[in-house]
């Protein structure tokens, strides 16, 4: 039932839906534009890094140069060629606070995070959640550090870990995602600026949720964070990351690397609520989110579980993976990817079974609306030694409207006869009957759509830590605004 | 007093095909009307037209509900204004818990009526009371909406929603089909409990057995897209005995 105000309402919905699009006016310390060895030296000097790390970066940079700006092209995404010289690689608020005390944090930054719904003052925070706040290229605050250190848990910016725990960083950095892994991982290894570092000692169950909140603020600046999480024998940690960026007409690059290591009997639960600016309703602007995330289940009976809710970014290119080395180790991937307007997402996972009786489970829910395109790309690989390996994969796609697309690209490689691999895939649409049923009970078309989509995503939403599940459900609704009517 | 619902010379098409061919019907507050008629005669179509389903277009005539033109309203506005349809075939909504669904609907309607929304505790208490009346278990109410429900369970879930939403006009499309004898009695008690001087009901049914429990004020026979006969409860008894043949050629 079209009426005059319809287009107006849709416009309003699409411009209002991204409420994190503001810019914080803060003086920054920035590296000169472009990328060469001097940029790397600049970053390393800013962070007062030891020689070994500078060498590590330079080696990565030379490797990246040899790739001659040839980005990978196998993903089902399209965008104009990126000019890597036309970007800043380091930007930090000038008054860098001493990270020891939150009282020293620039009030403008505190205000920014409050506006984003992440108050950093401990008394106002969600109880039981410690936050590391990364603003452009640096970590600006980490909360509950003292409380955590009582349990021996290390939770700090990776730049600080380099200074205070070099032996751990040296041992594990690049051990899961090697420098040569892929174009963006190589680039990240050269220019990474900040990110979080977590170490959970043997036998410790981390007493609170740990979370990192990434914020891009500066214009024409790429964010290259690096996160490293180590769960020692018999430990447990649940970690969550969130991300937002201002609304800008030009695209900005976000190329992160996340490495997880779980030793014997350890468990890491890693959840992401990704809400980078997706661009406007015509596909202008937005973040290019090219991310390498991988976990190694090194020890026996270890477990790594990825849960992601991907609603933002103009383009998402991301495959959180598990290398199941330890016998009886378990890898899980739960994903919701929502694309609307002109967003593109090519996302999925890799489960590499190496140890005996390793198990993996993949639940992927893709939702496309508007002109968006979404692809699930997954690899299940069973190595010869992985006797008794089992995988279950379920990929469901939901289409809203008839101009969007959904694709499923599963790769299965089995080299052990005892392995059991199951794959199920469905594609559906929200039916007229379902919409009528909800509307007949008083729900608006948008609320009905949100409810049905949330139902479709339930298996994944219920994997999120409670505090964030509600937030994620709301986000599902917001991301779909303007997709019906 | 003006009727609550006044349908005049209603013609409607479904995907371009004319199914309703001139329906006249007036329903006053407090009345229960039964609509009977052969398969394919247009009973469900009438209920969908009243609910505002997409693709069900009014081509002639009018529907006035509480003084307003019903056809100008979106389905959700009709619902909030007090029209409730218990579907003949309730649809499954995977992953959406029955209680969540009910609460969302309940609060949307309360809000429209200017009443304040209930908090989770008050809401659950209310649902518990109503579900007990319908012999429904917690499990049935919490499960995803209609998913894996038996035919009879679906109908009872519709009745639970009706009891919660307290509509002004309830349209029940074959709510008695698929119910066992005990469930029929329970559902009928539920319907009777909602009968009130300011509420009206339009019950579509094929069987006298429901009308034994919920005694209608009027009975209409719909055939070939028109109401071909109206009467009191005795009309249903005549039909039960003799079938639609009693109506002659009109019903063919
Ligand atoms: N989408 C459609 N396209 C064409 N014809 C349709 C469509 N939907 C319904 N009809 C036709 O409209 C007529 C009325 O259908 P309706 O469902 O209203 O019947 P009914 O009286 O409710 O029957 P029953 O007693 O079997 O429930 C039928 O002939 C049916 O085939
Ligand atoms: Mg019918």
């Amino acid at each position: 039932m079209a009426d005059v105000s319809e287009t107006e309402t849709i416009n309003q919905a699409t411009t209002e839906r991204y409420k994190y699009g503001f810019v914080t006016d803060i003086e920054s310390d920035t590296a000169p534009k472009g990328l060469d060895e001097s940029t790397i030296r600049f970053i390393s000097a800013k962070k007062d890094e030891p020689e070994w790390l500078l060498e590590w970066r330079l080696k990565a940079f030379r490797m990246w140069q040899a790739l001659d700006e040839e980005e990978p092209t196998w993903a089902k995404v399209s965008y104009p060629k990126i000019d890597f010289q036309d970007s800043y690689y380091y930007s930090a608020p000038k008054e860098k606070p001493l990270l020891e005390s939150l009282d020293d944090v620039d009030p403008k930054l505190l205000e920014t995070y409050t506006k984003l719904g992440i108050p950093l003052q401990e008394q106002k925070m969600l109880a039981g959640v410690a936050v590391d706040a990364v603003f452009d290229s640096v970590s600006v605050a980490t909360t509950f550090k003292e409380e955590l250190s009582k349990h021996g848990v290390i939770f700090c910016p990776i730049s600080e870990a380099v200074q205070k725990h070099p032996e751990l960083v040296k041992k594990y950095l690049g051990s899961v995602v090697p420098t040569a892994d892929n174009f963006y991982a190589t680039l990240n290894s050269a220019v990474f600026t900040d990110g979080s570092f977590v170490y959970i000692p043997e036998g410790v169950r981390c007493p609170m949720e740990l979370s990192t909140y990434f914020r891009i603020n500066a214009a024409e600046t790429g964010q290259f964070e690096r996160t490293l999480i180590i769960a020692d024998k018999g430990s447990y940690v649940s970690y969550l990351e969130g991300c937002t960026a201002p609304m800008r007409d030009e695209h900005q690059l976000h190329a992160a690397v996340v490495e997880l290591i779980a030793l014997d009997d350890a468990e890491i639960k890693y959840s992401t609520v990704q809400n980078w600016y997706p661009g406007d309703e015509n596909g202008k602007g937005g973040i290019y989110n090219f991310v390498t995330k991988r976990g190694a289940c090194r020890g026996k009976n270890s477990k790594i579980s990825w849960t992601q809710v991907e609603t933002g970014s103009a383009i998402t290119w991301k495959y959180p993976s598990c290398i199941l080395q330890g016998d009886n180790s378990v890898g899980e991937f739960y994903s919701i990817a929502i694309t609307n307007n002109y967003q593109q997402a090519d996302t999925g996972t890799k489960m590499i079974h190496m140890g005996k009786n390793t198990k993996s489970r993949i639940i992927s829910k893709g939702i496309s609306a508007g002109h968006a395109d979404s692809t699930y790309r997954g690899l299940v690989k069973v190595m010869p030694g992985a006797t008794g390996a089992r995988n279950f994969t379920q990929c469901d796609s939901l289409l809203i409207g008839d101009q969007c697309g959904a694709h499923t690209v599963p790769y299965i490689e089995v080299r052990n006869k005892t392995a059991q691999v199951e794959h199920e895939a469905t594609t559906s649409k929200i039916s007229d009957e379902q919409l009528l049923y909800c509307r007949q009970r008083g729900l608006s078309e948008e609320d009905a759509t949100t409810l049905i989509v949330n139902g479709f995503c339930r298996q994944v939403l219920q994997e999120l830590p409670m505090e964030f599940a509600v937030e994620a459900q709301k986000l599902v609704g917001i991301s779909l605004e303007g997709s019906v009517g | 007093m003006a009727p609550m619902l006044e349908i005049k010379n209603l013609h409607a098409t479904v995907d371009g095909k004319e199914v309703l061919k001139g329906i006249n019907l007036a329903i006053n507050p407090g009345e229960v009307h039964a609509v009977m008629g052969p398969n394919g005669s247009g009973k469900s179509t009438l209920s969908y037209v009243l609910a505002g389903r997409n693709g069900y277009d009014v081509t002639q005539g009018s529907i006035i509900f509480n003084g307003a033109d019903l056809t100008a309203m979106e389905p959700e506005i009709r619902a909030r204004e007090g029209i409730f349809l218990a579907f003949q075939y309730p649809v499954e909504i995977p992953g959406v818990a029955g209680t969540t669904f009910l609460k969302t609907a309940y609060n949307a309607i309360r809000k429209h009526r200017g009443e304040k929304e209930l908090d989770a505790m008050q809401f659950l208490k209310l649902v518990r009371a109503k579900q007990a009346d319908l012999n429904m278990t917690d499990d049935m109410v919490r499960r995803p909406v209609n998913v894996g429900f038996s035919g009879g369970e679906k109908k009872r879930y519709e009745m639970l929603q009706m009891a919660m939403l307290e509509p002004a006009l309830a349209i029940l499309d074959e709510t008695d089909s698929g119910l066992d004898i005990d469930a029929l009695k329970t559902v009928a008690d539920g319907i009777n409990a909602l009968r009130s001087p300011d509420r009206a009901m339009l019950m579509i049914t094929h069987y006298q057995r429901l009308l034994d429990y919920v005694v209608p004020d009027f009975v209409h026979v719909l055939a070939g897209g028109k109401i071909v006969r109206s009467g009191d409860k005795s009309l249903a008894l005549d039909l039960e005995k003799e079938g639609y043949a009693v109506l002659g050629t009109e019903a063919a």
Side-chain angles (χ1 to χ4, degrees):
Chain A
M1 237 164 263
D3 58 56
V4 211
S5 66
E6 192 180 60
T7 35
E8 217 173 85
T9 324
I10 290 176
N11 284 341
Q12 213 179 3
T14 36
T15 44
E16 274 181 8
R17 57 185 271 239
Y18 198 74
K19 63 174 176 184
Y20 308 107
F22 61 90
V23 181
T24 306
D25 183 15
I26 197 160
E27 240 190 298
S28 309
D29 198 354
T30 310
K33 212 174 201 177
L35 182 56
D36 57 25
E37 280 206 16
S38 71
T39 323
I40 315 285
R41 290 181 194 280
F42 178 95
I43 295 170
S44 192
K46 274 282 167 202
K47 295 186 174 290
D48 206 10
E49 286 176 350
E51 191 58 28
W52 66 265
L53 191 52
L54 175 62
E55 280 313 314
W56 196 81
R57 287 175 179 277
L58 288 171
K59 204 177 125 208
F61 180 66
R62 284 167 204 140
M63 220 179 257
W64 184 78
Q65 271 183 317
L67 295 170
D68 201 21
E69 306 205 355
E70 284 297 329
E71 299 157 63
T73 53
W74 44 263
K76 198 181 176 321
V77 294
S78 62
Y79 54 94
K81 202 165 163 45
I82 297 172
D83 180 355
F84 289 93
Q85 296 306 332
D86 191 31
S87 177
Y88 294 100
Y89 288 82
Y90 182 88
S91 174
K94 221 168 206 154
E95 293 291 308
K96 190 167 186 288
L98 286 168
L99 290 171
E100 301 311 319
S101 164
L102 285 168
D103 303 336
D104 299 331
V105 177
D106 187 327
K108 262 189 187 165
L109 289 172
L110 292 180
E111 197 186 301
T112 301
Y113 282 89
T114 303
K115 242 165 121 179
L116 295 169
I118 323 280
L120 296 174
Q121 294 94 328
E122 290 186 4
Q123 65 276 22
K124 291 189 195 157
M125 291 192 51
L126 273 173
V129 183
V131 179
D132 182 20
V134 177
F135 191 85
D136 289 330
S137 306
V138 291
S139 168
V140 292
T142 310
T143 64
F144 290 115
K145 265 168 131 174
E146 255 171 63
E147 169 71 18
L148 288 167
S149 67
K150 279 189 214 147
H151 299 264
V153 171
I154 304 169
F155 179 41
C156 66
I158 198 160
S159 50
E160 189 182 321
V162 168
Q163 308 295 340
K164 294 190 179 163
H165 311 281
E167 67 303 333
L168 285 172
V169 178
K170 221 170 171 172
K171 182 167 176 193
Y172 291 107
L173 186 72
S175 75
V176 187
V177 179
T179 303
D181 191 77
N182 70 73
F183 184 85
Y184 292 106
T186 310
L187 177 61
N188 175 287
S189 302
V191 302
F192 77 87
T193 42
D194 225 335
S196 300
F197 177 84
V198 176
Y199 173 77
I200 315 289
E202 193 169 334
V204 170
R205 200 181 158 84
C206 187
M208 54 179 84
E209 301 275 344
L210 304 184
S211 89
T212 302
Y213 194 88
F214 295 102
R215 172 73 177 169
I216 293 180
N217 187 63
E220 298 174 71
T221 302
Q223 194 177 52
F224 302 92
E225 89 264 1
R226 186 108 194 173
T227 295
L228 181 57
I229 299 178
I230 303 138
D232 213 325
K233 290 178 186 167
S235 68
Y236 170 85
V237 62
S238 168
Y239 177 93
L240 183 122
E241 61 170 359
C243 14
T244 59
M247 291 164 78
R248 291 215 173 82
D249 283 351
E250 85 269 14
H251 297 286
Q252 276 178 279
L253 178 62
H254 172 254
V257 171
V258 174
E259 297 177 282
L260 313 183
I261 295 115
L263 301 182
D264 287 358
D265 306 298
E267 179 175 349
I268 301 174
K269 191 172 164 55
Y270 192 108
S271 314
T272 304
V273 175
Q274 188 262 106
N275 189 20
W276 294 118
Y277 177 52
D280 71 6
E281 67 277 19
N282 300 313
K284 198 162 191 208
I287 302 293
Y288 289 164
N289 190 36
F290 300 155
V291 169
T292 307
K293 290 185 167 173
R294 195 173 301 154
C297 283
R298 289 228 170 117
K300 61 175 168 50
N301 308 318
S302 57
K303 179 174 175 183
I304 289 179
S305 180
W306 298 99
T307 304
Q308 59 173 22
V309 179
E310 302 282 309
T311 63
S313 297
I315 302 179
T316 298
W317 179 100
K318 178 181 169 189
Y319 314 89
S321 305
C322 296
I323 304 171
L324 305 170
Q325 290 165 286
D327 290 350
N328 306 312
S329 60
V330 177
E332 292 176 336
F333 174 74
Y334 297 96
S335 169
I336 297 170
I338 302 181
T339 48
N340 194 1
N341 296 316
Y342 285 88
Q343 281 177 274
Q344 306 172 56
D346 192 305
T347 183
T349 185
K350 287 190 268 188
M351 293 289 174
I352 316 290
H353 293 257
M354 298 169 78
K356 291 191 181 62
N357 302 315
T358 45
K359 276 198 219 105
S360 63
R361 183 176 163 83
I362 299 170
I363 308 286
S364 160
K365 305 278 180 178
I367 298 107
S368 312
H371 297 264
D373 221 339
S374 147
T375 302
Y376 167 82
R377 188 183 303 278
L379 168 68
V380 175
K381 190 169 182 172
V382 180
M383 305 299 273
T387 303
R390 296 182 67 161
N391 159 266
F392 174 76
T393 300
Q394 184 187 329
C395 291
D396 299 319
S397 308
L398 186 69
L399 303 174
I400 300 172
D402 48 16
Q403 311 218 272
C404 52
H407 319 270
T408 302
V409 191
Y411 303 90
I412 298 170
E413 262 182 71
V414 178
R415 292 200 253 149
N416 183 306
K417 282 198 186 112
T418 63
Q420 286 181 44
V421 177
E422 272 178 85
H423 179 95
E424 288 173 11
T426 65
T427 300
S428 54
K429 284 192 146 199
I430 293 183
S431 73
D432 280 355
E433 280 86 359
Q434 288 173 326
L435 277 179
L436 176 70
Y437 193 77
C438 296
R439 296 177 77 188
Q440 211 308 299
R441 300 303 185 245
L443 276 66
S444 68
E445 195 171 358
E446 279 195 352
D447 289 347
T449 306
T450 302
L451 190 78
I452 295 166
V453 171
N454 271 313
F456 173 77
C457 297
R458 188 157 113 137
Q459 266 175 299
V460 176
L461 288 171
Q462 68 193 14
E463 292 298 324
L464 284 173
M466 255 260 281
E467 296 88 330
F468 301 100
V470 178
E471 215 40 50
Q473 281 191 34
K474 277 193 221 142
L475 191 56
V476 167
I478 292 164
S479 313
L480 289 169
E481 269 174 31
S483 67
V484 294
Chain B
M1 188 178 56
M4 177 190 281
L5 179 75
E6 190 164 30
I7 302 174
K8 280 188 177 158
N9 188 33
L10 177 68
H11 289 250
T13 56
V14 184
D15 289 339
K17 177 192 163 193
E18 182 164 77
V19 177
L20 301 184
K21 301 172 179 171
I23 291 195
N24 292 291
L25 181 65
I27 300 180
N28 291 303
E31 293 176 354
V32 172
H33 290 240
V35 173
M36 306 183 80
N39 294 134
S41 57
K43 302 182 298 296
S44 293
T45 303
L46 176 61
S47 74
Y48 287 142
V49 169
L50 291 173
R53 181 170 178 171
N54 252 336
Y56 287 66
D57 299 322
V58 174
T59 50
Q60 257 190 74
S62 63
I63 310 171
I64 305 297
F65 177 67
N66 283 334
D69 176 6
L70 192 68
T71 59
M73 296 177 206
E74 294 286 353
E76 59 269 35
I77 304 298
R78 300 179 193 207
R80 294 174 198 167
E81 288 288 328
I83 290 186
F84 178 89
L85 169 59
F87 288 81
Q88 183 175 359
Y89 304 110
V91 67
E92 298 184 354
I93 311 182
V96 177
T99 31
T100 306
F101 180 71
L102 209 49
K103 188 160 177 247
T104 314
Y106 185 78
N107 284 332
I109 286 174
R110 297 266 300 193
K111 197 171 157 202
H112 183 76
R113 291 180 189 162
E115 296 162 358
K116 78 173 199 303
E117 300 178 7
L118 291 191
D119 67 36
M121 289 304 290
Q122 293 170 310
F123 176 79
L124 271 178
K125 222 174 127 190
L126 191 63
V127 176
R128 286 254 163 79
K130 307 265 181 196
Q131 86 191 40
D133 291 343
L134 287 160
N135 267 336
M136 296 178 76
T137 59
D138 275 1
D139 171 66
M140 211 190 285
V141 177
R142 269 197 229 120
R143 267 157 61 182
V145 176
N146 292 321
V147 176
F149 284 23
S150 75
E153 286 169 348
K154 284 184 183 168
K155 298 301 170 81
R156 267 184 285 167
Y157 186 59
E158 295 293 285
M159 288 301 96
L160 176 64
Q161 295 177 56
M162 177 173 80
M164 291 291 301
L165 301 180
E166 301 185 319
L169 173 66
I171 305 160
L172 312 182
D173 192 355
E174 296 198 25
T175 298
D176 53 334
S177 304
L179 294 179
D180 66 40
I181 299 159
D182 294 339
L184 180 69
K185 178 84 173 66
T186 312
V187 164
D189 288 346
I191 298 172
N192 280 326
L194 278 185
R195 280 181 89 152
S196 89
D198 25 86
R199 182 169 292 129
M201 297 191 184
L202 183 67
M203 287 193 311
I204 298 169
T205 182
H206 286 294
Y207 307 107
Q208 175 61 37
R209 46 173 212 168
L210 174 66
L211 306 182
D212 287 340
Y213 292 116
V214 185
V215 181
D217 301 300
F218 300 93
V219 174
H220 311 277
V221 178
L222 189 62
K226 279 184 192 162
I227 292 180
V228 295
R229 188 75 71 86
S230 294
D232 62 11
K233 60 184 181 189
S234 63
L235 175 57
L237 291 166
D238 292 349
L239 289 171
E240 179 90 344
K241 257 184 266 156
E242 310 187 27
Y244 292 114
V246 62
L247 301 170
T249 50
E250 299 160 291

